[in-house]
Every structure is written in C-alpha cells, then in structure tokens.
C-alpha cells in the first residue's frame, strides 16, 4: 500500500506495547491482585494506569471515591455493583470526580481497567503502594476511601 502523504511524526509519541504475561500479579489494596501494564509515575505523570484486577470469590470493596477518571471492562466472573449483577462484556465508566459503589463477587473474576487523569479535576490516578501493596496487607482506613 502506498502512502502518498508524508507525516511529520517528530513531535508525536510512538505506540507502546505490553503483554500481560510478561508482568507478575501483585497484591492490591482491596485484597485483590493487580497486574498493571502501564502506570502513572513522576517522569510520566499523565500516563494512565492500565491493567487487570483479579478478585477471589467473596472479595470486593466498600463505597469510596476518586478524583481521577476510569473505565472498567468485566472479562470474567460476576460482580455485584450497586446492588445489580454484571458479567462479562460489561463496561463501567467513572467520570471525574466519581464514587464507586460497593462491589462484591461470589464467583471471583477479572476486570480490565484504565485509570486516567481527570479532565475536569486534573487529578491523577495512584499506583505505587496503592494499586500494588508493598509488604503486608493492612486493613482499609478512611483515607483509603478518599483517593
């Protein structure tokens, strides 16, 4: 296929590719496991958190809120979110700022997630030490439900 137009790409970033199998699961803050393929960090503050969350049967979290935005996609399992059951193929959008309804799963399951800087709040998602727990998992405290 011929390209009759020449594009100046010098000011644009190339695509980045990550394979989920190349990353190990880490312990998440709601006693789940996370596999974050891309994540916000000081040298790339607008990079989104992108990856997978795995929940064991009976796992979940309480009502809480965030200032960033995010999208979830249910890959497997059934999740009770806000009193309704959602299964594979469900897409959940959380604008900024947002709250997340309490979520539980009796089947266990996996969610794909994208968390990104809030377009209205400019708040960034958190990664280190929150999406991936370093050391021993502790009980959830009030400040965990605020960001």
């Amino acid at each position: 296929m011929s390209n009759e137009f020449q594009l100046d790409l010098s000011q644009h970033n190339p695509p980045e590719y990550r394979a989920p199998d190349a990353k190990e699961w880490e312990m998440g803050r709601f006693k789940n496991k996370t596999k974050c393929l891309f994540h916000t960090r000081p040298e790339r503050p607008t990079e989104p958190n992108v990856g997978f969350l795995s929940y064991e049967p009976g796992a979940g979290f309480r009502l809480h809120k965030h200032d960033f935005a995010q999208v979830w996609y249910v890959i497997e399992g059934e999740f009770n979110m806000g009193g309704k059951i959602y299964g594979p193929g469900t897409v959940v959008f959380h604008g900024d700022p947002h709250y997340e309804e309490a979520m539980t799963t009796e089947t266990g399951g996996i969610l794909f997630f994208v968390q990104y800087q809030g377009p209205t709040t400019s708040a960034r998602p958190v990664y280190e030490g929150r999406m991936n727990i370093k050391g021993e998992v502790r009980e959830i405290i009030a400040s965990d439900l605020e960001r």
Side-chain angles (χ1 to χ4, degrees):
M1 172 181 243
S2 117
N3 184 0
E4 58 188 84
F5 299 103
Q6 295 299 313
L7 298 176
D8 177 7
L9 302 177
S10 63
Q11 300 299 312
H12 291 76
N13 295 310
E16 296 178 45
Y17 303 90
R18 306 274 164 83
D21 292 343
K23 176 84 172 156
E24 297 296 321
W25 289 100
E26 298 178 280
M27 185 53 102
R29 70 184 176 128
F30 291 119
K31 298 182 181 177
N32 56 351
K33 292 180 184 168
T34 182
K35 189 181 279 201
C36 209
L37 304 177
F38 295 93
H39 62 87
T40 304
R41 48 204 155 127
E43 64 273 16
R44 292 180 70 177
T46 60
E47 182 174 358
N49 287 341
V50 177
F52 301 89
L53 295 170
S54 177
Y55 291 89
E56 297 295 323
F61 52 74
R62 302 184 341 205
L63 173 73
H64 63 286
K65 61 186 181 177
H66 297 295
D67 290 335
F68 55 83
Q70 64 181 326
V71 176
W72 299 343
Y73 179 78
V74 179
I75 295 175
E76 65 181 54
E78 292 183 338
F79 294 87
N80 183 326
M81 296 181 252
K84 293 183 181 176
I85 303 296
Y86 298 95
T90 302
V91 176
V92 182
F93 170 67
H94 296 97
D96 71 310
H98 71 273
Y99 64 87
E100 293 176 23
E101 299 172 302
M103 193 263 309
T104 59
T105 177
E106 295 305 314
T107 63
I110 296 177
L111 300 173
F112 176 76
F113 69 92
V114 177
Q115 300 174 328
Y116 54 98
Q117 181 171 334
T120 58
T121 64
S122 296
R124 297 178 179 141
V126 205
Y127 178 74
E128 282 301 318
R130 298 261 306 184
M131 288 295 290
N132 61 334
I133 302 299
K134 304 293 185 191
E136 193 172 322
V137 176
R138 62 174 171 73
E139 288 303 310
I140 300 297
I141 58 175
S143 64
D144 289 324
L145 305 176
E146 293 291 328
R147 184 150 194 267

